[in-house]
Amino acid sequence: QAVVTQESSFSVSPGGTVTLTCGLSSGSVSTSYYPSWYQQIPGQTPRTLIYSTNTRSSGVPDRFSGSILGNKAALTITGAQADDESDYYCALYMGSGISVFGGGTKLTVL
Amino acid sequence: EVQLLESGGGLVQPGGSLRLSCAASGFTFSSYAMSWVRQTPGRGLEWVSSIGTGGTPHSADSVKGRFTISRDNSKDTLYLQMNSLRADDTAVYSCATRGGSKYFDSWGQGTLVTVSS
């Protein structure tokens, strides 16, 4: 199955903007992959942030946004807050009920 | 409120079997595709299996032929039968609803499966 790539780690200053990306080891990510994004604080259940590229899940603040940038899906956090420090995972839908997660990005806010 | 409660995890020897259950409430279970996702500290999140509303199953290559997903709509329960377990199957297994069948919407807390002799 396909390999989904993410940055292993990223840091952002409080109040800053950060863009995390989600790519494919071979090929480009498009809306046809229905990219989705999940936030997970270690020890807690994942929280769905974004689905179908850019639709925010219920209750997710609008400082989280999703898009396609070039050949990758992207999650942008605008005005980062301390409690945004977390692991972020993307997932791509490959069709036929199959999904693949990326390896996750550890975001540090400092 | 959507609630998903997994059970059935535990310690099992390599080559052994376990059956996980996920009891659903707070939504019309039969109307939702469902999935199992596992997580290990070293490998992050990994999609394991999904099952559609009509019962069509799909599984990751890593578990194909060993794991079987099923559902009982009369009991609002999702299952994962795991056979021929290996050490690298050790993980927290969570069930999740599938939104539009293409993303993971609501998540359970998970149940820990440890494969070790």
Side-chain angles (χ1 to χ4, degrees), chain A residues 1 33-34 36 38 40 43-48 50-52 57 89 91-93 96-103, chain B residues 35 37 39-40 43-47 50 58-62 64 94 98 101-110:
Chain A
Q1 280 162 343
Y33 287 95
Y34 299 90
S36 53
Y38 307 88
Q40 187 178 32
Q44 295 189 17
T45 300
R47 173 194 184 194
T48 304
I50 301 285
Y51 61 92
S52 297
S57 191
Y89 293 90
L92 300 179
Y93 181 70
S96 299
I98 297 168
S99 292
V100 181
F101 283 97
Chain B
S35 289
V37 176
Q39 183 168 32
T40 61
R43 299 201 307 269
L45 294 172
E46 181 185 9
W47 170 74
S50 291
H58 303 279
S59 292
D61 288 346
S62 59
K64 203 168 288 184
S94 298
R98 292 293 294 241
S101 300
K102 297 177 175 63
Y103 67 97
F104 307 96
D105 195 359
S106 299
W107 300 72
Q109 291 289 334

Side-chain angles (χ1 to χ4, degrees), chain B residues 12-89:
Chain B
V12 61
Q13 292 188 339
S17 299
L18 275 179
R19 188 175 85 153
L20 306 183
S21 300
C22 169
S25 61
F27 65 104
T28 305
F29 178 74
S30 60
S31 297
Y32 281 78
M34 298 292 296
S35 289
W36 287 98
V37 176
R38 66 186 181 186
Q39 183 168 32
T40 61
R43 299 201 307 269
L45 294 172
E46 181 185 9
W47 170 74
V48 175
S49 292
S50 291
I51 187 166
T53 54
T56 301
H58 303 279
S59 292
D61 288 346
S62 59
V63 306
K64 203 168 288 184
R66 300 188 299 125
F67 291 10
T68 302
I69 189 172
S70 62
R71 65 191 299 159
D72 186 338
N73 290 338
S74 69
K75 296 182 178 179
D76 291 346
T77 301
L78 178 72
Y79 302 100
L80 185 68
Q81 177 66 44
M82 305 187 295
N83 298 330
S84 302
L85 282 160
R86 312 186 302 222
D88 64 357
D89 293 320

